[in-house]
Amino acid sequence: NPEPLKEHLTDISKKVVEEKADFGIVVDPDVDRLAIISEDGEMFGEEYTLVAVADYVLGKTPSATVSNLSSSRALRDIAEKHGQKYEASAVGEVNVVTKMKEIGAEIGGEGNGGIIYPELHYGRDSLVGIALFLSHLAEKDMKVSELRASYPPYFMGKKKIELTPEIDVDALLQKVEEKYENEDISTVDGVKIDFENGWVHLRKSNTEPIIRIYTEAPTQQEADDLGDQFIAEMRSMI
């Protein structure tokens, strides 16, 4: 499977440790997604590729940052650390690029390891991501695992709720939005609810009666539990 996820990268993870390499680099077949493997064979985390690169770019060129609504909150934290603003777009590269142009962001991308650096071009590009990441690592003069540990720890969960065709998915999402109207809500792309210690993003499929549920929290268990909570709540609303 060419998708650069942990479960598909066991060979290179082992090889990094065997060779006592400083890191491993993985890209997908069209070279727009970048995954880094730390010297201990652990994933740096696709979500954190953009976070590390943004940390470097904002240290040189103050500007706003953009990622999509399903990307890690860590990018927002890094932008705020540099005194800059962060904005989220609808999911999809074209939506990220549109928002970046709108607010003049010098760095942005998607949490799946897609780096967009307008100084080169408006498109996800693993090669510019590698160059920026290595520049950051050289300047920090630390191990990749140490760099990863310097960023806020967040964990993501991905679930889905399958619905029968006669259910009105839009009406169901409207009910969720109304229930959480006192929280920080975005309806740019489905319904995203930001809580103090995490978030949930609900997106309906355009091809089947499914709602995809993305969550993020300080631990994997909390992220998974948040997803299960919303599955139960939506089932009770049907």
Side-chain angles (χ1 to χ4, degrees):
N1 190 316
E3 192 172 7
L5 301 176
K6 181 177 181 178
E7 57 266 31
H8 306 149
L9 302 176
T10 52
D11 289 347
I12 188 171
S13 294
K14 278 191 255 180
K15 182 64 76 175
V16 166
V17 176
E18 286 170 8
E19 298 292 333
K20 296 183 172 58
D22 293 312
F23 49 84
I25 294 171
V26 181
V27 300
D28 65 343
D30 58 351
V31 203
D32 65 0
R33 291 174 62 181
L34 171 63
I36 304 291
I37 295 162
S38 301
E39 79 287 345
D40 56 6
E42 293 297 316
M43 297 293 294
F44 190 79
E46 274 192 298
E47 291 286 337
Y48 284 83
T49 301
L50 176 57
V51 172
V53 167
D55 192 19
Y56 176 74
V57 171
L58 295 182
K60 310 288 183 188
T61 312
S63 93
T65 61
V66 176
S67 63
N68 69 40
L69 284 164
S70 289
S71 298
S72 176
R73 182 180 279 185
L75 182 61
R76 184 200 70 180
D77 293 350
I78 290 301
E80 290 176 352
K81 182 188 89 169
H82 287 279
Q84 303 301 315
K85 72 174 180 175
Y86 161 80
E87 290 199 24
S89 75
V91 173
E93 181 177 8
V94 66
N95 297 316
V96 176
V97 168
T98 299
K99 178 62 74 172
M100 288 178 71
K101 289 179 176 179
E102 183 184 309
I103 67 173
E106 298 292 341
I107 187 68
E110 297 190 285
N112 61 7
I115 306 297
I116 301 173
Y117 187 52
E119 188 168 321
L120 185 69
H121 66 99
Y122 275 108
R124 295 182 304 180
D125 191 321
S126 292
L127 299 181
V128 73
I130 292 167
L132 292 168
F133 184 88
L134 295 185
S135 298
H136 188 40
L137 192 64
E139 196 170 90
K140 288 288 189 181
D141 192 24
M142 59 172 62
K143 293 179 179 178
V144 173
S145 61
E146 293 171 337
L147 180 63
R148 175 64 178 81
S150 71
Y151 295 123
Y154 293 116
F155 295 83
M156 298 190 79
K158 295 181 182 179
K159 297 178 181 284
K160 64 183 178 183
I161 179 171
E162 297 186 10
L163 308 167
T164 53
E166 67 272 10
I167 291 172
D168 187 335
V169 179
D170 291 321
L172 181 56
L173 291 176
Q174 179 71 34
K175 286 182 182 178
V176 174
E177 183 185 343
E178 289 168 359
K179 179 174 180 178
Y180 288 94
E181 62 184 357
N182 293 325
E183 302 291 345
D184 182 6
I185 291 181
S186 169
T187 55
V188 168
D189 184 1
V191 176
K192 182 175 182 179
I193 307 166
D194 266 295
F195 301 104
E196 185 177 353
N197 294 314
W199 53 259
V200 60
H201 185 200
L202 311 172
R203 297 182 72 230
K204 73 171 185 175
S205 167
N206 291 322
T207 57
E208 51 191 331
I210 285 175
I211 294 177
R212 303 191 187 281
I213 304 165
Y214 303 90
T215 55
E216 186 175 62
T219 68
Q220 190 64 59
Q221 186 65 53
E222 288 174 284
D224 292 339
D225 288 348
L226 187 59
D228 290 337
Q229 172 195 326
F230 272 83
I231 287 174
E233 287 184 11
M234 283 189 286
R235 290 204 184 285
S236 72
M237 292 175 180
I238 296 171

